[in-house]
Amino acid sequence: MSSSPPAPDARTVALVTLGCARNDVDSEELAGRLAADGWELVEDAAQAAVAVVNTCGFVDSAKKDSIDTLLAAADLKGNGVTKAVVAVGCLAERYGVQLADELPEADAVLGFDDYREIGDRLRTILGGGHVPAHTPADRRRLLPLTPVERSAAAVAVPGHETAPIPAPVADLPAGVAPASGPRVPRRRLAGGPSAPLKLASGCDRRCAFCAIPSFRGAFLSRRPTDILAEARWLADQGVREIVLVSENSTSYGKDLGDLRLLETLLPELAAIDALDWIRVSYLQPAELRPSLIDALVDTPKVVPYFDLSFQHSAPDLLRRMRRFGDTDRFLGLLAAIRERVPAAGARSNFIVGFPGETEDDVKELERFLTEARLDAIGVFGYSDEDGTEAAGFDGKLDQDVIDERVALLTDLAEELTAQRAADRVGETVDVLVEQIDGTEGLVEGRAPHQGPETDGSIRLVGDGARSLRVGALVRAVVVDSDGVDLIAAPA
């Protein structure tokens, strides 16, 4: 029997999240704040009085997805339940008033500064009041230029709140992170045995193509005590794998006076008994120091997984991008990692069609991809981003040339990653079970070299798979591959 829809005046809210794992964490912070403030969280936007869309503002395709999602949510208004649609997240932070003017279907466009009072903002909107649209500013200017002075600045940064949440710990709804544990209120939305954990926010790099620092701000590390407390809370919620996320994890600690702080933090996270895996994402090759490689391959529970931001491999083009490295240096880095852990996973994203990219540059990137043996490869066509240095560069390529190069490199990437998966047949791997479909007998999970949602999965087969449960860590032998996905039998 279906449940009755909530009353029209009910204080119900649905959070719709787009974009990366950092946005997932931000949505769970908003969910924690709202739950602590008396809001009822529902999964279906059609069953919510307010639909909050946590947008992505990274590239053109992500912006389009965000706008389409907002419009789809706005179409729900008039169903007798949904009264308002609110935009938050990176697109809202980046464009604010402009987005509100161009998208009147959204009842409000809120920035990061509104997160602390999100419940009050939604009450005002639901009551027919007006909340002014966010006015964008370059968030790099909100924090001191000197990194070591940043931790004392009173700036709203999602995931970094240090003030206690308003409700007493005893009055918090079940599953909301208390002030005595993590400093940030958080309510899990997705469930499952894996969860992202924010390590830091923002970025101090000045890549010519990237606008993220302007709306996410300068680099700011979370304090180790807050990270550890939140990791323990996640473990208490049944999480077996934490994925440390940021815009640049290799810079963690520089603003706290210790550039090697991640090397110290990882063993402390590994000491949390209930955790099985710790995964570090978003590593900058130019900052991947030997001591950090040691920590990533030698610390128990830290999976040998290298999410490396290469972006390209042609040296002259990388300099034009305001980045460092070249094909041979990158191959040398991967070789050094695999000398320590031959089965280590490696993934990266690449931009093709950057202004000034030549056919020789594309061939150099092809050489790198062919020799790198990456487990997962993302290929993106360049597009101008507002406020970036590259938007003013000469040497822009025609869109049909960019599209042709994207197709070429995508086909190559699919072939190479499928071959890399096939090379793993015969390996013995640990598999974290994430999904069980009893009706079809499907048991699916991931190995250490596979990041959540992006890097393929492992299907477990055979009699030994039938008794498994979600969250189990099982030893298995890879018996076949299907594209980037693997098929394995419990050992």
Side-chain angles (χ1 to χ4, degrees):
M1 183 170 62
S2 61
S3 59
S4 300
D9 59 348
R11 225 200 295 178
T12 52
V13 59
L15 285 153
V16 181
T17 308
L18 304 171
C20 65
R22 300 183 292 276
N23 252 17
D24 291 335
V25 178
D26 292 350
S27 283
E28 293 194 349
E29 175 190 340
L30 291 171
R33 291 185 181 281
L34 290 165
D37 196 28
W39 287 78
E40 178 187 352
L41 296 165
V42 298
E43 291 186 13
D44 186 357
Q47 296 297 309
V50 184
V52 177
V53 179
N54 190 353
T55 61
C56 179
F58 181 37
V59 293
D60 284 346
S61 59
K63 297 174 197 173
K64 183 180 184 303
D65 287 346
S66 294
I67 291 171
D68 288 347
T69 303
L70 285 164
L71 291 172
D75 285 343
L76 297 172
K77 290 190 288 185
N79 64 5
V81 178
T82 306
K83 304 298 182 185
V85 173
V86 175
V88 299
C90 291
L91 190 70
E93 178 65 37
R94 185 176 181 185
Y95 293 104
V97 174
Q98 179 185 345
L99 178 63
D101 289 343
E102 296 178 0
L103 195 73
E105 292 87 350
D107 296 276
V109 175
L110 306 181
F112 297 150
D113 292 333
D114 292 299
Y115 284 19
R116 289 170 176 168
E117 290 83 30
I118 187 66
D120 287 342
R121 299 290 187 269
L122 297 192
R123 273 191 292 273
T124 298
I125 296 162
L126 198 57
H130 174 67
V131 176
H134 164 67
T135 300
D138 188 337
R139 294 191 73 86
R140 290 172 293 192
R141 300 175 182 174
L142 300 181
L143 290 169
L145 183 62
T146 305
V148 294
E149 297 176 352
R150 292 175 185 167
S151 60
V155 175
V157 180
H160 291 249
E161 186 61 68
T162 56
I165 55 181
V169 171
D171 295 337
L172 291 181
V176 176
S180 62
R183 296 294 184 90
V184 178
R186 181 171 180 177
R187 174 77 169 261
R188 291 208 72 203
L189 296 172
S194 179
L197 175 56
K198 188 169 286 189
L199 187 69
S201 292
C203 186
D204 287 342
R205 301 183 72 87
R206 293 295 181 265
C207 301
F209 53 82
C210 185
I212 289 176
S214 66
F215 56 87
R216 276 291 184 178
F219 186 84
L220 185 67
S221 301
R222 292 184 67 196
R223 292 192 173 277
T225 50
D226 293 339
I227 294 170
L228 288 165
E230 190 166 344
R232 294 187 187 101
W233 177 79
L234 287 169
D236 289 342
Q237 297 292 306
V239 170
R240 303 277 71 89
E241 175 192 34
I242 57 170
V243 183
L244 299 177
V245 299
S246 70
E247 276 76 23
N248 178 8
S249 296
T250 37
S251 282
Y252 178 70
K254 74 173 187 178
D255 52 319
L256 299 178
D258 184 358
L259 186 55
R260 297 189 177 187
L261 193 56
L262 185 54
E263 289 94 308
T264 303
L265 176 64
L266 290 175
E268 295 185 78
L269 289 168
I272 300 174
D273 290 338
L275 293 178
D276 292 317
W277 285 357
I278 299 158
R279 187 180 302 272
V280 183
S281 295
Y282 305 108
L283 301 169
Q284 287 290 342
E287 298 179 34
L288 194 55
R289 52 199 175 273
S291 62
L292 181 53
I293 295 176
D294 290 342
L296 291 171
V297 301
D298 292 337
T299 305
K301 298 186 181 180
V302 176
V303 296
Y305 174 80
F306 291 81
D307 177 12
L308 296 160
S309 178
F310 289 126
Q311 303 300 344
H312 212 285
S313 73
D316 291 342
L317 192 71
L318 281 169
R319 303 302 178 273
R320 189 167 168 85
M321 289 179 166
R322 305 293 182 250
R323 295 181 63 83
F324 304 95
D326 56 52
T327 296
D328 292 330
R329 290 183 189 181
F330 293 161
L331 291 174
L333 173 61
L334 290 168
I337 291 168
R338 288 170 176 148
E339 184 177 358
R340 303 280 297 276
V341 185
R347 77 170 322 277
S348 191
N349 294 325
F350 299 88
I351 297 172
V352 294
F354 189 81
E357 183 186 60
T358 66
E359 291 187 4
D360 285 343
D361 293 332
V362 175
K363 290 178 182 177
E364 185 69 2
L365 180 54
E366 289 182 73
R367 179 171 81 89
F368 172 69
L369 293 177
T370 302
E371 297 183 31
R373 298 172 61 237
L374 299 174
D375 294 277
I377 299 169
V379 179
F380 299 90
Y382 171 82
S383 62
D384 285 338
E385 289 297 318
D386 297 334
T388 62
E389 183 183 7
F393 281 0
D394 58 11
K396 299 284 178 64
L397 303 181
D398 292 339
Q399 189 60 50
D400 59 346
V401 174
I402 296 175
D403 293 343
E404 180 181 333
R405 291 180 180 181
V406 168
L408 171 70
L409 272 298
T410 297
D411 288 345
L412 177 62
E414 290 178 354
E415 177 185 343
L416 293 170
T417 52
Q419 182 57 55
R420 176 63 174 153
D423 290 343
R424 291 188 179 274
V425 173
E427 288 185 7
T428 299
V429 296
D430 291 322
V431 181
L432 180 65
V433 179
E434 292 189 297
Q435 181 180 354
I436 296 177
D437 186 336
T439 59
E440 298 185 6
L442 177 68
V443 181
E444 194 170 14
R446 287 180 293 106
H449 71 276
Q450 296 169 317
E453 299 181 359
T454 59
D455 299 346
S457 63
I458 291 185
R459 179 161 59 91
L460 292 167
V461 297
D463 293 340
R466 296 176 183 174
S467 60
L468 296 173
R469 57 176 176 79
V470 171
L473 194 64
V474 59
R475 198 81 166 153
V477 177
V478 179
V479 296
D480 202 355
S481 65
D482 180 11
V484 297
D485 299 325
L486 299 177
I487 301 166

